[in-house]
Amino acid sequence: MSTLFVVGTPIGNLDDITFRAVETLKKVEVIAAEDTRHTLQLLNALESKGLMTHNEIKKLMISCRSQNEEMAAKKIIELMENGKDVAYTSDAGTPGISDPGEVLVELVRKAGHSVVPIPGPSAFATLVSVAGSGGKTLIFEGFLSPSPGKRRNRLKALLATGNAIVLYESPFRIIKLLTDIADIESERRLVIGRELTKLHEEIIEGTALELRNNFAERSSIKGEFAVFIFGIKKVQISDEATDN
């Protein structure tokens, strides 16, 4: 029985890669990747740092992205049935979290092979760790629909729960997202992480309206975004109050 290793990789800062991730990428015979070019850049960077040798980065690589994940999974399973261990990497962060990977994992497990996580960075965990208040319930929604109507309707439903929420957004739609949140609950507090762990990392807090205005005033917006929306503490009704 072969093993699929689901490997978390840095979301920006190469120094965030774990020892386990490097050792796993060294020892497997096959690397499946959301984008083989991107993963090859990572391997070359590890070689330049002396963490891998040229021979260790020269191995079979298979493209396994959202558009071809099921077909790629079948090829990967064939290799595993021939005794080869495989590592899977997404472009950045942990596969399966707003990234491809879940279809591959499901099919590999159904085929009777082991699936082993190699934990690593994720924008979700990185932002939550510095947000300051997650509460007992935290909703991870990832990317909302690009459709204005669907996005706004989903936001209304999420905000109505009163729970903390984490969203992802691109630089091209961040102002639209913040405008929608501000229109629904202008005073709801947010923490926004832009370019997390990268050279130009920015983490800012404010109300939805304040942050919407902040980004709307900028001449240009670059980088990927993670948005933490604070939950609202529910009013507790005492037993005495409900007796009347």
Side-chain angles (χ1 to χ4, degrees):
M1 184 170 64
S2 298
T3 301
L4 172 69
F5 297 94
V6 180
V7 182
T9 56
I11 60 175
N13 191 322
L14 183 61
D15 289 341
D16 290 337
I17 197 162
T18 67
F19 292 123
R20 256 187 101 193
V22 173
E23 289 304 313
T24 300
L25 293 172
K26 281 183 180 181
K27 73 179 183 181
V28 295
E29 297 164 277
V30 180
I31 296 178
E34 179 183 2
D35 186 328
T36 55
R37 295 165 300 178
H38 188 94
T39 297
L40 185 57
Q41 287 178 351
L42 171 65
L43 297 178
N44 286 331
L46 292 174
E47 182 189 4
S48 70
K49 282 180 168 284
L51 297 173
M52 295 181 74
T53 67
H54 187 65
N55 286 336
E56 287 170 336
I57 70 172
K58 287 180 64 178
K59 56 188 69 187
L60 177 63
M61 297 187 74
I62 296 176
S63 170
C64 182
R65 57 193 190 279
S66 57
Q67 295 87 346
N68 75 340
E69 191 170 353
E70 188 169 349
M71 185 182 302
K74 292 176 182 177
K75 294 180 182 178
I76 291 165
I77 290 168
E78 286 180 13
L79 290 166
M80 295 180 72
E81 288 176 349
N82 286 321
K84 298 188 184 299
D85 289 333
V86 179
Y88 181 66
T89 62
S90 56
D91 286 352
T94 301
I97 303 179
S98 282
D99 273 334
E102 62 180 80
V103 173
L104 173 62
V105 165
E106 180 182 4
L107 293 178
V108 166
R109 187 174 284 122
K110 281 183 177 178
H113 297 286
S114 296
V115 179
V116 174
I118 308 297
S122 75
F124 164 73
T126 300
L127 184 62
V128 171
S129 73
V130 295
S133 178
K136 289 187 176 180
T137 303
L138 177 60
I139 300 172
F140 174 67
E141 186 73 9
F143 288 96
L144 293 173
S145 170
S147 165
K150 290 181 179 179
R151 182 179 61 241
R152 184 174 285 258
N153 287 337
R154 183 58 181 157
L155 272 173
K156 286 179 180 177
L158 290 168
L159 292 168
T161 67
N163 294 315
I165 305 156
V166 176
L167 306 172
Y168 288 165
E169 194 51 274
S170 75
F172 310 107
R173 292 197 298 267
I174 187 63
I175 293 178
K176 293 177 181 178
L177 173 65
L178 295 175
T179 298
D180 286 343
I181 299 172
D183 286 347
I184 300 166
E185 288 191 32
S186 62
E187 295 304 307
R188 183 74 80 100
R189 297 199 69 78
L190 315 177
V191 174
I192 293 180
R194 184 182 69 84
E195 292 284 84
L196 288 170
T197 79
K198 298 179 182 177
L199 180 62
H200 300 292
E201 176 181 81
E202 180 180 19
I203 300 172
I204 54 175
E205 180 181 354
T207 67
L209 183 58
E210 289 169 344
L211 294 178
R212 185 267 173 199
N213 291 340
N214 180 309
F215 283 97
E217 291 168 0
R218 301 187 183 196
S219 58
S220 66
I221 300 175
K222 297 179 181 179
E224 297 299 316
F225 288 80
V227 179
F228 181 95
I229 304 175
F230 282 85
I232 297 174
K233 293 181 180 178
K234 304 289 187 180
V235 177
Q236 297 296 319
I237 301 175
S238 68
D239 291 337
E240 269 184 20
T242 57
D243 287 338
N244 296 326

